[in-house]
């Protein structure tokens, strides 16, 4: 098994990598000022109500945390937004379009991309191969373009561009030295880096991160946070589900708290930290 990647030393290397990534990825592009709106979202499993009328909005270019005790409905809300679950009620809008109930690939195709608590890499493929399959609308996916000589040139050109972007993104996350390693051999932290790197190659406008720091050692957690902040500075919007309340409070400008399938409160970290209902939900024996 490969070891955890070492932190890059010196500020010079970081600046050079940032410049390459800004040029290659081009930031998150133009989006609505409130790209994600969730209204009256509901999800039931038999007689259990997992999500009960959830409503919130996410501002463009923001980093928002979604927290709550175990079983609060956070991941189910994520699943309903991104199409993994079909909601039983309510509406999800992204950039002014109704995406309620769309398939996951359709949601991702519109620029709303998620990661998972347990990384879902393609284990029998190398890290670089995992990256190469991520970009959407690849010309080589059409059989006729793959076999006709005049069309093959455009396929080759696009594949070369994707390869360059893949390498630059791996460099940005400091895992380019693992490019030829099989993904199944990566450590848990390295898999989290790969999943986030792969998500960026889909040209997202907004990223929903489900427990991105779970099982990650402290040094790699710090690096992940640095990368997320750098991407936010480039214009990407983040909604992060996380159990570590302190981590969310220290890194997000807005916090949404769920409890028993509903929104308990939302506001600045300071407002949420001092909210008596939040204190009761976390410390009142229901964690």
């Amino acid at each position: 098994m490969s070891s955890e990647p070492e932190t890059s030393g010196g500020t010079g290397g970081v600046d050079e990598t940032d410049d390459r990534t800004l040029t290659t990825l081009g930031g998150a592009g133009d989006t609505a000022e409130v790209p994600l709106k969730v209204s009256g979202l509901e999800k039931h499993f038999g007689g259990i109500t997992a999500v009960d009328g959830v409503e919130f909005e996410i501002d463009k270019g923001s980093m928002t945390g979604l927290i709550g005790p175990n079983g609060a409905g956070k991941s189910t809300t994520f699943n309903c937004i991104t199409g993994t679950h079909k909601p039983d009620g309510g509406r999800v809008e992204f950039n002014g379009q109704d995406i309620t109930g769309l398939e996951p690939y359709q949601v991702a195709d519109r620029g709303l991309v998620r990661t998972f608590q347990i990384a879902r890499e393609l284990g029998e493929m190398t890290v670089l191969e995992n990256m190469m399959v991520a970009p959407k609308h690849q010309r080589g996916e059409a059989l006729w373009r793959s076999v006709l000589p005049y069309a093959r040139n455009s396929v080759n050109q696009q594949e070369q561009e994707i390869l360059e972007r893949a390498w630059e993104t791996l460099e940005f996350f400091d895992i380019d030295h693992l490019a030829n390693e099989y993904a199944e051999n990566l450590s848990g932290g390295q898999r989290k880096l790969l999943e986030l790197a792969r998500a960026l190659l889909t040209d997202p406008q907004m990223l929903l991160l489900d427990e991105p720091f779970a099982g990650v050692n402290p040094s790699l957690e710090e690096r992940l946070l640095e990368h997320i902040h750098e991407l936010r500075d480039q214009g990407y919007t983040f909604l992060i589900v996380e159990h570590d309340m302190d981590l969310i409070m220290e890194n997000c400008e807005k916090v949404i708290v769920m409890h028993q399938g509903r929104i308990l409160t939302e506001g600045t970290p300071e407002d949420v930290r001092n909210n008596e209902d939040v204190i009761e939900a976390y410390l009142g024996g229901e964690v």
Side-chain angles (χ1 to χ4, degrees), residues 124-229:
E124 296 183 357
M125 298 175 67
T126 68
V127 167
L128 184 58
E129 288 170 341
N130 268 265
M131 296 290 288
M132 292 292 290
V133 300
K136 54 193 177 185
H137 307 314
Q138 295 193 44
R139 299 182 187 120
E141 294 175 350
L143 180 61
W144 69 272
R145 286 198 178 101
S146 301
V147 297
L148 294 180
Y150 72 88
R152 185 63 197 172
N153 290 335
S154 67
V155 172
N156 290 338
Q157 180 181 355
Q158 186 188 51
E159 288 181 348
Q160 183 60 37
E161 293 171 353
I162 292 173
L163 180 62
E164 292 174 0
R165 291 181 61 205
W167 273 109
E168 291 179 353
T169 306
L170 289 176
E171 290 173 6
F172 176 74
F173 286 98
D174 303 316
I175 53 174
D176 51 304
H177 63 290
L178 298 171
N180 295 317
E181 183 66 78
Y182 285 106
E184 64 186 2
N185 295 332
L186 301 183
S187 69
Q190 291 167 343
R191 293 179 184 187
K192 291 294 181 75
L193 287 170
L194 172 58
E195 186 168 49
L196 186 52
R198 189 173 58 182
L200 286 181
L201 284 192
T202 66
D203 294 322
Q205 296 174 1
M206 181 173 175
L207 288 155
L208 281 65
L209 310 184
D210 191 358
E211 298 281 353
F213 310 106
V216 175
N217 66 48
S219 62
L220 194 50
E221 177 183 289
E222 183 177 351
R223 286 181 49 214
L224 268 169
L225 279 169
E226 289 175 355
H227 290 312
I228 290 171
H229 278 287

Side-chain angles (χ1 to χ4, degrees), residues 209-265:
L209 310 184
D210 191 358
E211 298 281 353
F213 310 106
V216 175
N217 66 48
S219 62
L220 194 50
E221 177 183 289
E222 183 177 351
R223 286 181 49 214
L224 268 169
L225 279 169
E226 289 175 355
H227 290 312
I228 290 171
H229 278 287
E230 289 166 5
L231 292 168
R232 195 273 304 273
D233 290 342
Q234 293 180 28
Y236 292 92
T237 304
F238 287 91
L239 177 61
I240 305 173
V241 164
E242 179 56 48
H243 276 96
D244 189 333
M245 187 173 181
D246 290 335
L247 187 149
I248 289 295
M249 294 296 182
E250 293 169 3
N251 291 278
C252 295
E253 57 263 34
K254 178 181 177 181
V255 181
I256 301 170
V257 186
M258 287 191 67
H259 183 51
Q260 297 181 344
R262 299 179 179 180
I263 300 298
L264 184 63
T265 189

